[in-house]
Each structure stands twice: as structure tokens, then as C-alpha cells.
Amino acid sequence: MNIANGRAPLSGLRVVELAGLAPSPFAGLLLADHGATVLRVDRSVSYDTPSPDLLVRHKKSICLNLKDPQGLLVLRALLKHVDVLVDPYRPGVLESLGLEPAGLIAQNERLIVARLTGFRRDGKYASMAGHDINYLAVSGVLNQLGRKGAPPHPPANILADFAGGGLSCAFGVMMALYARERTGKGQIVDCNMVDGSAYLATFPRLATKTPIWNRHRGENLLDGGCPFYDVYECKDGRYMAVGALEPQFYKELLNGLNLRDFMLLQHDRAAWPAMRDAFGKKFLQKTRQEWENVFDGKDACCTPLLSYAEMEAAGYEQRHAVTLTGTPGLKLDHDMTWESMGINPGVGGEELLQDWLGWRKGRQYDIKSGTVVQIDIAKL
């Protein structure tokens, strides 16, 4: 790889990630994939059983019992020597462990504490449990998603958990790191999936005051209400995706479908029902591959809807979301982008205790009931 000075962009960055559900591990994954050393703090479980978390690529693990004072001391010692702590817990949990963020920063002024919650840390939902669908619901975003005449439909857990949560958290960490270059000091990064999701939906929210999105759910230009921005079934049960918004792309689409009678009716809503029906019937006349043959290389904004299974079988290369030409992220092998091998709790953690703290087993720490504990406070 062409890495300047042999280093990925986040090489040398030390991150402690407290084990959590999907959003915080995704934030850690983004950092790890770009060279950060991410140490995941797992609970005491069998060393032979991989973590159920799938987002452990390029990470290391240490088992700590944070309810054991000796285990907590290990974490405290680590946090004096790292750059970032990723906290996935609900408000107040970290504090209940005696790990008040401001106090941690007082002991390591360069520490960045990234706190990722589902709901806002204030308001009536702050102490409540929730999942992606709940955060989308109270952010206003879920109300905009779905077909006309049907209940709102969540897009799996992609928006709140991963985009509004994990990605936003990683972005917050990068902003704090950039600020630290000027100030020399770390800070608390507060992220929540409600505000993260709402921010992602800035355009559609503003568009509700314009003709683009001022109708009921499923009746607008980009939410399934428009026949030339939708998905159509083909003869073989597969699908083609159509996004021919601009006039020149719409024209190319109609030429490919041989439906030129609609050429002057693109924005005539009265014609949309007949247009949708004609598109649906036309796409059913050919297989997806046959339609690919029609539209490949054409500016019709008409593409096949691919499944992960067929992409993997075809050897599709998953890549980083962003590529830096001088300092690219770590290599993503084909196998690791299609299946998670997991990580056994504790793998690599003791190596980092030595690298980061200079600790050695039997001197500063030992293993008790499957977890690392501090044993010689006097010599630290």
C-alpha cells in the first residue's frame, strides 16, 4: 500500500471501547479500519467463545470486571495513557462506576470521552431503553418513511444505529482530535441517535416546506410517490431501481422502455398512476439481466437491485467509505468484509497492557475468573 511514512491516517491513536451494541462498535470499527489501535473492554466470558459482536475487525480485546475494584483499577490505569474512550452506556452508568468523564479528563487532559446514547441525555426519554426504531420515531424521521396508505416502515437499523449513531460518534471524535491539535486538551463528545438521525434528515425536513416533500408520506418525489423514482419487479422476480429525475435521464429511461408517450408528462401528477402502471407492466416483460443489457452504459439512472449473496459470489470488492490517496486505511481483505470471524475476549489485551503501560503478568496484573485485575498498586 502507498502509505506515507508507512502509517495509516490514525496510526498511533489509542482507543478504549467499552463493549456495547451495534452503534458504538461501529464507531470503533471506523477508527480501527483507519489505523487506530482499538482495545475493546469485554466482560468475563470463555476465552474460547468469540464475542457475538460482528464489528470487531482490526480490534483487540481485554476482559475486565468493572464491578470488581481491581478490574476497575486496570481500566483507570489504561485511561491515563489513551486518546479516546468510547462509552456506549445510558446516562449515569459511567458515573455509577466512579468514572465521571470530567474526572477522567482531569487525570489525562488529552483524553476524549465519546458518550453515545440512543435518546438525548435530557428530556423525558433520557433514562428509557430504546432501539433504532424508537430513536427514529421520536426524531420525526420514521414518520417520513414508507408507502402511501401503509404504516411508517423502518429501514432495518441502518439510520439511527449506524449513520446517526456510530458514524456521527466517530465524526465527533475526529472533530475533538482536530481541536486537541490547537488546544492540547481533550473533551467530552456527546452523541445521541435521535439528533444524529434528525441531522441526517436535514434535507427532507427542510423540503417539507417545498413542493418536493410537502405531501403525505409516500406521495412525494423521493419517497416512493413518484413513478420515475422507484423499484420495479422484473420477469424473473428480481428488481430494477429507477431514479430518472432529471429530464435528460427521464428521456433516456423512456427510450429504453419504449414508452415515449409519456415524454411530455414527467411532472404531470395526474399522469403518474398510468405511468407507474405502464412501467410496472413493461419491466415484467424482461428479466433483470435483459434490462441490464438495455440500460448498461446509458444515462437513464436505471440499475439492477443487487443482493449481498450475488455480490459476494461475484467477488465484489467492499472498500473503505473514504480513500485517502497518501495515507489510506488498513487493507480490507475480501473475507473480512463479507463475514465476521469475531474476536475471542481477551485476545491482544495483555500485549497492549505491556505496550501502553509497561505492565507484566504476575507483577502489575494477573487473571482472576477470566478477567484482568491489578495486583501491585504500590509499583504503579
Side-chain angles (χ1 to χ4, degrees):
M1 292 186 297
N2 178 27
I3 300 179
N5 301 319
R7 294 164 67 88
L10 298 182
S11 244
L13 187 72
R14 298 175 175 182
V15 180
V16 168
E17 174 196 311
L18 301 179
L21 298 176
S24 55
F26 185 62
L29 181 73
L30 287 165
L31 302 176
D33 274 350
H34 292 86
T37 301
V38 177
L39 178 61
R40 174 188 166 95
V41 177
D42 283 301
R43 298 182 179 88
S44 173
V45 295
S46 170
Y47 275 56
D48 298 324
T49 304
S51 164
D53 181 15
L54 301 177
L55 305 176
V56 294
R57 188 171 62 218
H58 295 136
K59 297 181 184 179
K60 300 181 185 298
S61 169
I62 189 170
C63 289
L64 298 178
N65 180 359
L66 299 185
K67 295 181 180 180
D68 182 337
Q70 291 175 290
L72 196 59
L73 284 173
V74 177
L75 179 58
R76 283 185 170 279
L78 282 167
L79 294 180
K80 293 177 182 178
H81 298 271
V82 303
D83 299 287
V84 180
L85 170 65
V86 179
D87 165 26
Y89 301 141
R90 284 199 244 174
V93 173
L94 210 60
E95 290 81 355
S96 71
L97 295 170
L99 301 172
E100 204 279 326
L104 297 176
I105 294 173
Q107 294 178 333
N108 174 6
E109 66 175 9
R110 293 177 61 79
L111 180 65
I112 293 163
V113 180
R115 307 191 296 187
L116 177 55
T117 60
F119 296 114
R120 289 178 170 179
R121 301 184 75 87
D122 58 354
K124 71 175 185 176
Y125 304 113
S127 63
M128 292 172 55
H131 281 294
D132 185 290
I133 190 171
N134 306 112
Y135 312 138
L136 284 183
V138 303
S139 72
V141 176
L142 184 54
N143 186 61
Q144 293 187 271
L145 306 177
R147 292 288 185 179
K148 176 182 178 181
H153 188 75
N157 66 329
I158 298 171
L159 279 183
D161 277 0
F162 296 112
L167 182 61
S168 295
C169 181
F171 177 60
V173 168
M174 298 310 298
M175 288 194 293
L177 287 169
Y178 185 72
R180 195 178 73 176
E181 290 297 305
R182 301 193 309 274
T183 66
K185 297 183 182 298
Q187 59 184 296
I188 298 170
V189 176
D190 275 333
C191 310
N192 71 79
M193 291 168 237
V194 172
D195 290 331
S197 302
Y199 200 90
L200 286 169
T202 297
F203 172 78
R205 182 175 65 254
L206 297 178
T208 60
K209 303 297 178 63
T210 76
I212 295 176
W213 220 309
N214 63 356
R215 296 171 181 262
H216 294 297
R217 179 176 58 254
E219 297 180 4
N220 301 284
L221 190 66
L222 302 174
D223 65 356
C226 168
F228 47 88
Y229 197 90
D230 211 337
V231 174
Y232 291 92
E233 185 176 1
C234 303
K235 184 178 181 179
D236 56 355
R238 296 181 176 185
Y239 296 89
M240 294 291 286
V242 173
L245 295 173
E246 291 80 3
Q248 67 273 26
F249 304 149
Y250 176 75
K251 178 180 178 181
E252 196 71 49
L253 173 70
L254 294 187
N255 285 335
L257 293 174
N258 195 23
L259 289 173
R260 298 176 183 83
D261 289 347
F262 293 100
M263 197 68 74
L264 301 179
L265 301 175
Q266 181 177 14
H267 295 293
D268 182 356
R269 283 182 172 269
W272 281 9
M275 186 187 300
R276 183 183 299 279
D277 183 64
F279 284 10
K281 290 178 179 177
K282 182 63 74 168
F283 275 106
L284 284 172
Q285 293 176 10
K286 297 179 185 292
T287 66
R288 194 192 70 184
Q289 184 59 60
E290 289 172 328
W291 284 119
E292 287 186 63
N293 295 339
V294 171
F295 288 110
D296 276 358
K298 304 286 180 59
D299 283 344
C301 299
C302 186
T303 56
L305 193 156
L306 304 177
S307 71
Y308 283 145
E310 64 181 307
M311 292 170 72
E312 181 181 6
Y316 184 85
E317 179 188 10
Q318 297 286 353
R319 299 174 179 173
H320 289 292
V322 176
T323 298
L324 302 183
T325 57
T327 56
L330 301 182
K331 183 180 179 181
L332 300 181
D333 293 328
H334 179 79
D335 290 345
M336 68 170 56
T337 62
W338 287 107
E339 183 177 2
S340 175
M341 296 294 102
I343 184 173
N344 286 11
V347 171
E350 293 185 58
E351 297 172 13
L352 292 185
L353 285 178
Q354 182 172 342
D355 291 346
W356 292 356
L357 308 183
W359 284 16
R360 294 183 181 278
K361 186 176 181 180
R363 298 180 66 179
Q364 289 87 7
Y365 76 92
D366 212 334
I367 306 297
K368 182 177 75 173
S369 301
T371 65
V372 176
V373 294
Q374 182 174 316
I375 61 173
D376 194 354
I377 299 176
K379 293 183 180 180
L380 299 181

